[in-house]
Amino acid sequence: MAQEISLYQVDAFTSEVFGGNPAAICPLEVWLDDALLQSIAAENNLSETAFFVRDGDDFHLRWFTPGAEVDLCGHATLATSYVISTYLEPGRDLIGFQSKSGRLEVTRNGDLYTLDFPVLKSEVVECPQLLRDALKIEVVGTLDGMDMIALVRDAAAVRDLKPDIGRIAELDTRGLIVTARGDDCDFVSRFFAPKQGVPEDPVTGSAHCLLAPLWAEKLGKTKMTARQLSARGGELIVELKGDRVLISGRAAPYMIGTITV
């Protein structure tokens, strides 16, 4: 028998609709079959669809790209927090999530949401020729972790980059972050994950779990402003706190509806 499921679409890491990164959010009473969750995410065709089920005072949260489930996602966690604190439990200002990356907390201060995420480690590696071929610009440093990181000369190089997405898909990594020092913020980036069904992600919270320790060391500061220079664009505030990184941003609602499955 077909069932109806609520679906919210929220733009994360922006204060205006049509900016930031759109995420689809589906509250569930109980978990559906994994294949059905993946089909819903593929049908939504956004970089992430988040599903959650209440778990005591917390919520169990999972994230799916159109192609696969992922271990950590920032913008869909922010968007989920917006849905919970705006529509489901209005005014709630502390939300806990159980996830594949452990327990995550999100705090709300007015219209600003702060994600408490784990720092992700990376290590310096030699730049693969495949990466140079994919980017077709000078790479001044390469690191590898959950995602590969390519350091380039300046913000303009990040902004103007026209990479070979097919070559990026051949890299042995979840995704590729291209980053540089910012000109109107501390650092900038772009994120490409064609293996996950996401050629370019508009704003990627989880990438900043890798970028925060990298740029904190380079800039000698723990609180930084960041921009993701995709076509939609996004703004983040990041703060390194030991083995955690606080990632803050705003959200803008776009759509409330139901799906039938």
Side-chain angles (χ1 to χ4, degrees):
M1 180 179 293
Q3 60 179 306
E4 290 191 341
I5 298 170
S6 296
L7 182 143
Y8 302 80
Q9 189 169 320
V10 177
D11 294 336
F13 295 116
T14 179
S15 56
E16 297 182 355
V17 71
F18 307 128
N21 199 353
I25 312 301
C26 292
L28 301 174
E29 295 294 326
V30 296
W31 287 111
L32 305 176
D33 182 78
D34 284 7
L36 179 55
L37 297 180
Q38 187 63 71
S39 293
I40 293 169
E43 184 78 7
N44 290 335
N45 200 32
L46 298 173
S47 59
E48 300 286 348
T49 296
F51 303 91
F52 66 93
V53 172
R54 181 173 289 280
D55 185 1
D57 289 334
D58 287 352
F59 299 89
H60 185 196
L61 179 63
R62 297 171 69 185
W63 311 275
F64 288 76
T65 74
E69 184 174 7
V70 297
D71 291 343
L72 186 64
C73 174
H75 85 279
T77 303
L78 192 161
T80 301
S81 302
Y82 178 89
V83 168
I84 292 169
S85 65
T86 303
Y87 304 113
L88 306 184
E89 297 185 22
R92 182 165 174 169
D93 57 11
L94 177 62
I95 304 168
F97 295 107
Q98 303 296 334
S99 77
K100 284 192 168 186
S101 292
R103 188 174 187 273
L104 309 172
E105 281 192 352
V106 180
T107 56
R108 175 186 180 183
N109 183 5
D111 65 350
L112 188 70
Y113 292 80
T114 299
L115 317 178
D116 184 340
F117 272 21
V119 166
L120 298 177
K121 297 181 180 179
S122 60
E123 59 181 6
V124 175
V125 296
E126 184 176 348
C127 181
Q129 185 60 46
L130 181 58
L131 176 58
R132 297 184 192 279
D133 294 342
L135 297 185
K136 297 173 282 189
I137 61 171
E138 181 186 7
V139 177
V140 299
T142 310
L143 298 92
D144 200 13
M146 182 175 76
D147 303 305
M148 188 172 289
I149 303 173
L151 286 155
V152 298
R153 61 183 182 276
D154 55 29
V158 177
R159 185 179 297 109
D160 298 338
L161 182 65
K162 295 179 175 61
D164 184 328
I165 298 297
R167 291 290 181 90
I168 291 175
E170 296 176 28
L171 291 167
D172 185 19
T173 181
R174 180 191 79 148
L176 172 66
I177 306 166
V178 182
T179 188
R181 190 185 296 258
D183 43 25
D184 59 353
C185 61
D186 288 306
F187 65 88
V188 300
S189 67
R190 288 173 67 186
F191 184 85
F192 307 92
K195 278 186 178 177
Q196 309 301 321
V198 184
E200 179 169 5
D201 195 32
V203 194
T204 316
S206 61
H208 290 75
C209 296
L210 289 156
L211 290 170
L214 170 65
W215 285 108
E217 181 178 356
K218 287 185 174 297
L219 299 174
K221 58 199 297 188
T222 56
K223 190 168 185 178
M224 297 162 283
T225 57
R227 293 185 187 277
Q228 198 152 327
L229 301 181
S230 63
R232 293 175 65 102
E235 300 176 350
L236 312 90
I237 303 166
V238 298
E239 183 174 4
L240 189 64
K241 283 197 164 185
D243 62 353
R244 308 294 293 183
V245 56
L246 305 183
I247 306 169
S248 301
R250 293 174 169 81
Y254 174 69
M255 180 179 69
I256 303 175
T258 57
I259 58 176
T260 303
V261 296

